[in-house]
Amino acid sequence: MMDGWLTALLALSICAVLHLVSSFILHRKQNLPPGPLALPLIGNPIWLFKPLTQLETILRHYHSKYGPVVTLYFGNTPSIFIASHSVSHHALVQNGAVFADRFPVMETAKIITSNQHNISTAFYGPTWRILRRNLTSELLHPSRLKAHSPTRKWVLDDLVHRLHQAPGPVKLLDHLRYAMFCLATTMCFGERFDEKLIREIQESQRGVLLNITKFNDLNFWPPRLGKFLFKKRWEEIRQLRKRQDDCLLPLINKARQNRTTIKDKEAAGKAIPYVDTLFDLEIADNNDEKVKRKLVDDELITLCSEFLDAITDTTIVSMQWIMANLVKRTEIQEKVYKEIKEAMQNKEKNEEIEEEDLGKMTYLKAVIMEGLRRHPPGHFLLPHQVMEDSVLEGGYKVPKGTSVNFMVADMGWDPKVWPEPMAFKPERFLNDRSKGGVELEVDITGSKEIKMMPFGAGRRICPGFALGLLHLEYYIGNLVWNFEWKAAGEVDLTEIQENAVTMKYPLLAYLSPRPVS
């Protein structure tokens, strides 16, 4: 009897292996983009010796050998990596709908995304469209964003005050992080919270961002078996989420109890907080547009958490990179200050740059663009899943369901497009028109062509990219207008990968208040 079971088990194992091998061979015959040697089950042998943390370095080696479009295998699964501007535009813009889907998230990520009920991870379909449309039309519309100007000014005043009071060399990152969380929580919940609560929210959000990847190995186990064998570690993930729940749900409930209609708030000239737009929102149940339901509390928490991260994480990282370059290159900092001074000279009150003043500051905008090109906060996009068989520019076939990713940093550092790509040169974005003056020359959306895409491109472009640019211009401009920044030691631009690619050694600087003219 036992021999019979062993024979059956062996037969099933052989069948499984043969299926995997045949699947691998089928993929290899589909004229995918070129890449290194791959073996059934193993994929590229390099993964036996190199960790995934070296993926970017490995890809650069293979791109130099095989060209700007490369296929790597992780086990039997092919993944295509694109470092070509034109191929990226062909995929993301010209064939945007085909390349717009997402993959199912791993079991650990299901806990923090409410099973993919947020904008960044939702499958391309009705639920994603409803969530994204709500954000862009109900909150990010220019008229709605204008109503949040007093909050931006309040945050700026507090930030400048704290910097004035800070002793010795200032660790800018800490001040930026607190300021951006003040801004994000107010935009999300419509209320200004005390410092203690802001810190609690900040720590709960960063607790998830910095720690969730530590549990990735759990995803290689069948869910039921893994949750039984590793109960303690799964409980740690649940505690990360519970900490978020304990911070955010009371704020959501308070906003729900005290809310007035959006029309009434608009009539009174009040800003619309993000959470208010979610209470009456109806999404497609199980992605079926015919069956609608309201969001449950777990999904409200996830969407508010996503909003807080979007406002804070990459913006903070970009601000620090830009300020580090201005501290390192004092002549650029002085050019920014000189432009601001000229733009502000006819104002009666010039204590601060107002949002309306930013349109006059072309060089400041060029500095922001150069910061995003040279130091994009994400060196890759989230993987895109191809929704149907397609063909990339160059004739490479991409089967339905294939993973495609885009090398954001490498496109911004391509010497064929950007001369001296590793230098920080804002002037590369300026076009001197003899009659019309100096203009900024860049298409950040990539709609016409992709030269850089720190916010992505196509259907999945970051919906808040305009808000992100506004925050960078407004706060960077005012930091330079209020203070002269000098390095406290060497400014080290070494990178480290956290949730975003940030400075390994946070910026330390001495601040000298500038005279108010």
Side-chain angles (χ1 to χ4, degrees), residues 309-321 372 375 377-378 454-455 462 472 499-501:
D309 289 340
I311 294 288
T312 57
D313 195 53
T314 54
T315 303
I316 293 163
V317 166
S318 296
M319 282 185 183
Q320 183 181 220
W321 278 121
L372 292 171
H375 303 284
F455 299 100
C462 172
L472 290 174
N499 184 59
V501 180

Short mmCIF file of all heavy atoms in Angstrom, two decimals, residues 309-321 372 375 377-378 454-455 462 472 499-501:
data_model
loop_
_atom_site.label_atom_id
_atom_site.label_comp_id
_atom_site.label_asym_id
_atom_site.label_seq_id
_atom_site.Cartn_x
_atom_site.Cartn_y
_atom_site.Cartn_z
N ASP A 309 1.15 58.32 2.58
CA ASP A 309 2.46 57.93 2.03
C ASP A 309 2.78 58.71 0.76
O ASP A 309 3.92 59.14 0.55
CB ASP A 309 2.49 56.43 1.74
CG ASP A 309 2.51 55.59 3.01
OD1 ASP A 309 2.87 56.12 4.07
OD2 ASP A 309 2.15 54.40 2.93
N ALA A 310 1.77 58.89 -0.10
CA ALA A 310 2.00 59.57 -1.37
C ALA A 310 2.39 61.03 -1.16
O ALA A 310 3.24 61.56 -1.89
CB ALA A 310 0.74 59.48 -2.24
N ILE A 311 1.79 61.68 -0.18
CA ILE A 311 2.08 63.09 0.08
C ILE A 311 3.45 63.25 0.74
O ILE A 311 4.14 64.25 0.54
CB ILE A 311 0.99 63.70 0.99
CG1 ILE A 311 -0.36 63.74 0.28
CG2 ILE A 311 1.39 65.10 1.46
CD1 ILE A 311 -0.46 64.76 -0.82
N THR A 312 3.85 62.26 1.54
CA THR A 312 5.04 62.44 2.38
C THR A 312 6.30 61.78 1.83
O THR A 312 7.32 62.45 1.63
CB THR A 312 4.77 61.88 3.79
OG1 THR A 312 4.40 60.49 3.70
CG2 THR A 312 3.65 62.65 4.47
N ASP A 313 6.27 60.50 1.57
CA ASP A 313 7.50 59.72 1.42
C ASP A 313 8.39 60.20 0.28
O ASP A 313 9.54 60.60 0.50
CB ASP A 313 7.15 58.24 1.24
CG ASP A 313 8.36 57.34 1.44
OD1 ASP A 313 9.02 57.46 2.50
OD2 ASP A 313 8.65 56.54 0.55
N THR A 314 7.91 60.16 -0.94
CA THR A 314 8.76 60.54 -2.07
C THR A 314 9.04 62.05 -2.09
O THR A 314 10.11 62.48 -2.54
CB THR A 314 8.13 60.11 -3.41
OG1 THR A 314 6.80 60.65 -3.50
CG2 THR A 314 8.05 58.59 -3.51
N THR A 315 8.09 62.86 -1.58
CA THR A 315 8.31 64.30 -1.54
C THR A 315 9.45 64.64 -0.59
O THR A 315 10.32 65.46 -0.90
CB THR A 315 7.03 65.03 -1.11
OG1 THR A 315 5.97 64.69 -2.00
CG2 THR A 315 7.23 66.53 -1.12
N ILE A 316 9.45 64.02 0.59
CA ILE A 316 10.52 64.25 1.57
C ILE A 316 11.87 63.86 0.98
O ILE A 316 12.86 64.60 1.09
CB ILE A 316 10.24 63.45 2.85
CG1 ILE A 316 8.99 63.99 3.56
CG2 ILE A 316 11.43 63.48 3.79
CD1 ILE A 316 8.42 63.02 4.59
N VAL A 317 11.92 62.68 0.35
CA VAL A 317 13.17 62.19 -0.24
C VAL A 317 13.67 63.17 -1.31
O VAL A 317 14.86 63.54 -1.32
CB VAL A 317 12.94 60.80 -0.85
CG1 VAL A 317 14.10 60.41 -1.77
CG2 VAL A 317 12.80 59.76 0.25
N SER A 318 12.78 63.62 -2.17
CA SER A 318 13.17 64.55 -3.25
C SER A 318 13.63 65.88 -2.69
O SER A 318 14.61 66.48 -3.19
CB SER A 318 12.01 64.74 -4.22
OG SER A 318 11.69 63.54 -4.88
N MET A 319 12.94 66.38 -1.68
CA MET A 319 13.35 67.65 -1.07
C MET A 319 14.76 67.56 -0.51
O MET A 319 15.58 68.48 -0.67
CB MET A 319 12.39 68.04 0.05
CG MET A 319 11.07 68.62 -0.41
SD MET A 319 10.10 69.16 1.02
CE MET A 319 8.60 69.71 0.19
N GLN A 320 15.06 66.47 0.18
CA GLN A 320 16.39 66.33 0.77
C GLN A 320 17.47 66.25 -0.32
O GLN A 320 18.52 66.89 -0.21
CB GLN A 320 16.47 65.11 1.68
CG GLN A 320 17.84 65.02 2.35
CD GLN A 320 18.01 63.82 3.26
OE1 GLN A 320 18.60 63.92 4.32
NE2 GLN A 320 17.51 62.66 2.85
N TRP A 321 17.20 65.48 -1.39
CA TRP A 321 18.18 65.39 -2.48
C TRP A 321 18.44 66.77 -3.09
O TRP A 321 19.60 67.14 -3.36
CB TRP A 321 17.67 64.45 -3.57
CG TRP A 321 17.88 62.99 -3.33
CD1 TRP A 321 16.92 62.02 -3.27
CD2 TRP A 321 19.13 62.30 -3.15
NE1 TRP A 321 17.48 60.78 -3.06
CE2 TRP A 321 18.84 60.92 -2.98
CE3 TRP A 321 20.46 62.71 -3.11
CZ2 TRP A 321 19.83 59.96 -2.78
CZ3 TRP A 321 21.45 61.76 -2.90
CH2 TRP A 321 21.13 60.40 -2.74
N LEU A 372 14.78 65.80 -9.74
CA LEU A 372 13.99 64.60 -10.05
C LEU A 372 14.67 63.73 -11.10
O LEU A 372 14.56 62.50 -11.07
CB LEU A 372 12.60 65.00 -10.51
CG LEU A 372 11.70 65.65 -9.46
CD1 LEU A 372 10.44 66.21 -10.10
CD2 LEU A 372 11.34 64.65 -8.36
N HIS A 375 18.03 62.40 -9.20
CA HIS A 375 17.76 61.58 -8.01
C HIS A 375 16.28 61.17 -7.96
O HIS A 375 15.57 61.56 -7.03
CB HIS A 375 18.11 62.36 -6.73
CG HIS A 375 19.51 62.85 -6.67
ND1 HIS A 375 20.59 62.03 -6.39
CD2 HIS A 375 20.04 64.09 -6.88
CE1 HIS A 375 21.71 62.74 -6.40
NE2 HIS A 375 21.41 63.99 -6.69
N PRO A 377 13.13 59.35 -6.84
CA PRO A 377 12.93 58.60 -5.59
C PRO A 377 12.70 57.12 -5.80
O PRO A 377 12.94 56.32 -4.90
CB PRO A 377 11.72 59.27 -4.95
CG PRO A 377 11.05 60.01 -6.06
CD PRO A 377 12.11 60.39 -7.03
N GLY A 378 12.24 56.72 -6.99
CA GLY A 378 12.10 55.32 -7.33
C GLY A 378 12.90 55.02 -8.59
O GLY A 378 12.72 55.69 -9.61
N PRO A 454 10.04 60.44 -13.53
CA PRO A 454 10.06 60.19 -12.09
C PRO A 454 8.69 59.90 -11.51
O PRO A 454 8.58 59.32 -10.43
CB PRO A 454 10.63 61.51 -11.53
CG PRO A 454 10.33 62.53 -12.57
CD PRO A 454 10.45 61.81 -13.87
N PHE A 455 7.62 60.30 -12.24
CA PHE A 455 6.26 60.02 -11.78
C PHE A 455 5.60 58.90 -12.59
O PHE A 455 4.39 58.67 -12.47
CB PHE A 455 5.40 61.28 -11.89
CG PHE A 455 5.87 62.43 -11.05
CD1 PHE A 455 6.60 63.47 -11.61
CD2 PHE A 455 5.61 62.47 -9.69
CE1 PHE A 455 7.05 64.53 -10.84
CE2 PHE A 455 6.05 63.52 -8.90
CZ PHE A 455 6.77 64.55 -9.48
N CYS A 462 1.60 58.77 -11.80
CA CYS A 462 1.17 59.21 -10.47
C CYS A 462 0.11 60.29 -10.61
O CYS A 462 0.37 61.34 -11.22
CB CYS A 462 2.37 59.75 -9.69
SG CYS A 462 1.92 60.53 -8.14
N LEU A 472 7.21 70.72 -3.94
CA LEU A 472 8.66 70.86 -4.07
C LEU A 472 9.05 72.32 -4.35
O LEU A 472 9.96 72.87 -3.71
CB LEU A 472 9.18 69.95 -5.19
CG LEU A 472 9.14 68.45 -4.92
CD1 LEU A 472 9.55 67.67 -6.16
CD2 LEU A 472 10.05 68.08 -3.75
N ASN A 499 12.08 52.61 1.42
CA ASN A 499 10.90 52.50 0.55
C ASN A 499 11.16 53.26 -0.75
O ASN A 499 10.73 52.88 -1.82
CB ASN A 499 9.67 53.06 1.26
CG ASN A 499 8.42 52.88 0.43
OD1 ASN A 499 8.06 51.77 0.09
ND2 ASN A 499 7.78 53.98 0.08
N ALA A 500 11.89 54.38 -0.63
CA ALA A 500 12.37 55.13 -1.79
C ALA A 500 13.89 55.18 -1.71
O ALA A 500 14.49 54.83 -0.69
CB ALA A 500 11.77 56.54 -1.79
N VAL A 501 14.51 55.62 -2.79
CA VAL A 501 15.97 55.72 -2.81
C VAL A 501 16.36 57.06 -2.19
O VAL A 501 16.09 58.12 -2.75
CB VAL A 501 16.52 55.62 -4.25
CG1 VAL A 501 18.04 55.74 -4.25
CG2 VAL A 501 16.11 54.29 -4.88
#
